Amino acid sequence: MILTVLFYSFVVFTAIQIIYYLFFSTFLFGDKKDNKKSLELPISVIICAKNEAKNLGEFLPSIIHQDYTDFEIVLINDASSDATESVMESFAKKHSKIKIINVENIEAFWGNKKYALTLGIKAATYEHLLFTDADCKPISKYWIKEMSQNFTKNKTIVLGYGKYKKENSLVNIFVRFETLLTAIQYLSYAKLGSPYMAVGRNLAYKKSEFFNVKGFINHMHIKSGDDDLFIQDAANKVNTTISTSTNSFTESLAPKSFKDWFRQKRRHISTANHYKFKHQFFLALFFISKVFFYITATTLFFFYSWKIILPIFLSYYFIQFIVIGFSAKKLKEPTITYFLPFLEIGLLLFHLSIFITNLAAKPNHWK
């Protein structure tokens, strides 16, 4: 009787996972391009930096030299203690398109990136805003053009893909796999009219959308979430679109160790508790059904007929390999598919450890 229940549970969990992956495949299909404008919109590129002197020196030129006619760069120095301000000023002397906003810590918003971003957004000259990070660079000189062309009369929020630089290390391939899987999910949800998150290293929206929801006021007390919690407030099926063209991607430096990555993901995952209930439910169902898929499959392989279990198990991997394989190709991460089973199981254990740790303590600062 117990084995029968386990078997049918295994079938249900497998079916749930397959449905999810078929759902995730939707972002692979092209968007309608007929409403895109050939006219270049004035764009304010906003970069918030805290102790990022080295990264600004390395990556800011890739923003400055974008092939785009009408744009400014708003550099926000968020109370840095290193040479960030000096680096910004040296670039500003050479390039008139750069505007610097210096932010001082005040008691009410100590260490809060959202406060600094708010000042930068208010200071931006143009209505259309494009965000990235100081440790991030566009992979193409057409990044601004590709992202801005997604703006239309109705589409006022554009979700982009922020990848991580490929390096030869175990932590790097895990970071890139997790980033790919996250992108597959949020791009697919947005494509089907239910946007729930974005990445701040490649996100665009109109200033009016920011003020329509009173900025970050609903979650200013939460240190993280300037991207995904803003999307929770402002995005909907009418005003949100995605950009998956290669020239619209950005690339960041990946965490160098599992310890650094663990600390980063703790902060990011903690914001999920503030998502809308429907998003929490479906994201949790995907994760929980995957955990029990592996638990029931492992148990049944020992105590049930493997001739029945194996075809069901392999059907899951076949669908997963097809969807993630094509997604990885589209998002320029093809080598990841070679290690899928290993990466998936490792990532499950990694996320479980984060959830357990976050129950005991919450991360406080954005840097």
Side-chain angles (χ1 to χ4, degrees), residues 81-109:
S81 57
D82 67 351
T84 292
E85 183 177 358
S86 297
V87 173
M88 289 179 175
E89 289 176 347
S90 67
F91 277 109
K93 289 178 181 178
K94 301 175 185 176
H95 305 281
S96 59
K97 65 182 65 176
I98 293 177
K99 178 186 295 185
I100 299 174
I101 308 299
N102 285 305
V103 180
E104 295 183 1
N105 278 325
I106 61 174
E107 186 175 354
F109 301 109

Side-chain angles (χ1 to χ4, degrees), residues 84-344:
T84 292
E85 183 177 358
S86 297
V87 173
M88 289 179 175
E89 289 176 347
S90 67
F91 277 109
K93 289 178 181 178
K94 301 175 185 176
H95 305 281
S96 59
K97 65 182 65 176
I98 293 177
K99 178 186 295 185
I100 299 174
I101 308 299
N102 285 305
V103 180
E104 295 183 1
N105 278 325
I106 61 174
E107 186 175 354
F109 301 109
W110 185 268
N112 197 323
K113 182 183 179 183
K114 295 173 187 174
Y115 171 67
L117 277 173
T118 299
L119 297 182
I121 291 170
K122 289 182 176 180
T125 303
Y126 303 125
E127 169 70 5
H128 295 84
L129 314 176
L130 178 56
F131 297 83
T132 191
D133 290 339
D135 63 346
C136 188
K137 69 174 183 178
I139 69 170
S140 163
K141 66 178 181 179
Y142 303 110
W143 169 61
I144 297 178
K145 182 177 182 179
E146 288 291 329
M147 287 294 289
S148 65
Q149 281 186 348
N150 289 280
F151 283 117
T152 66
K153 180 180 179 180
N154 294 322
K155 301 302 181 183
T156 54
I157 299 175
V158 184
L159 314 185
Y161 177 53
K163 61 186 298 179
Y164 281 104
K165 184 178 180 180
K166 182 181 178 181
E167 296 176 359
N168 294 322
S169 71
L170 183 61
V171 65
N172 182 265
I173 194 170
F174 269 106
V175 169
R176 289 189 295 114
F177 173 66
E178 195 270 345
T179 302
L180 172 67
L181 186 59
T182 300
I184 291 171
Q185 293 182 71
Y186 75 75
L187 293 173
S188 297
Y189 274 77
K191 185 69 179 293
L192 292 178
S194 187
Y196 73 92
M197 69 160 283
V199 290
R201 58 188 181 272
N202 198 5
L203 170 65
Y205 52 80
K206 291 181 67 173
K207 189 186 291 191
S208 58
E209 291 288 4
F210 181 79
F211 290 115
N212 284 342
V213 296
K214 299 181 180 179
F216 304 123
I217 192 65
N218 292 332
H219 45 87
M220 184 66 82
H221 62 288
I222 303 168
K223 301 299 181 183
S224 56
D226 55 277
D227 41 22
D228 52 354
L229 295 185
F230 171 77
I231 293 299
Q232 286 284 311
D233 284 345
N236 56 58
K237 64 181 180 180
V238 175
N239 69 1
T240 304
T241 188
I242 65 175
S243 182
T244 56
S245 62
T246 303
N247 284 338
S248 72
F249 298 168
T250 60
E251 182 180 79
S252 301
L253 297 174
K256 299 297 184 182
S257 67
F258 280 103
K259 181 179 179 181
D260 291 340
W261 186 37
F262 186 87
R263 182 166 55 246
Q264 180 191 81
K265 293 310 297 181
R266 278 192 65 202
R267 184 176 68 249
H268 293 168
I269 289 176
S270 66
T271 62
N273 294 327
H274 305 279
Y275 287 1
K276 295 182 177 72
F277 174 77
K278 65 177 181 178
H279 295 137
Q280 290 191 51
F281 175 80
F282 286 112
L283 291 170
L285 180 61
F286 176 63
F287 179 78
I288 292 171
S289 63
K290 188 180 293 292
V291 170
F292 281 100
F293 164 79
Y294 278 106
I295 291 174
T296 54
T298 303
T299 304
L300 289 169
F301 267 120
F302 284 103
F303 301 105
Y304 208 78
S305 173
W306 66 269
K307 293 181 181 180
I308 298 175
I309 301 303
L310 186 60
I312 301 174
F313 190 80
L314 291 178
S315 68
Y316 161 77
Y317 270 115
F318 176 75
I319 297 297
Q320 183 196 52
F321 184 84
I322 294 297
V323 173
I324 291 186
F326 279 105
S327 300
K329 182 177 180 181
K330 187 176 184 68
L331 299 179
K332 304 305 176 184
E333 300 284 3
T335 58
I336 284 177
T337 54
Y338 302 144
F339 310 98
L340 260 183
F342 167 73
L343 291 172
E344 178 169 74

Side-chain angles (χ1 to χ4, degrees), residues 46-59:
I46 298 181
I47 303 173
C48 190
K50 189 178 184 69
N51 299 326
E52 295 280 9
K54 180 180 179 181
N55 286 326
L56 283 170
E58 183 176 354
F59 299 123

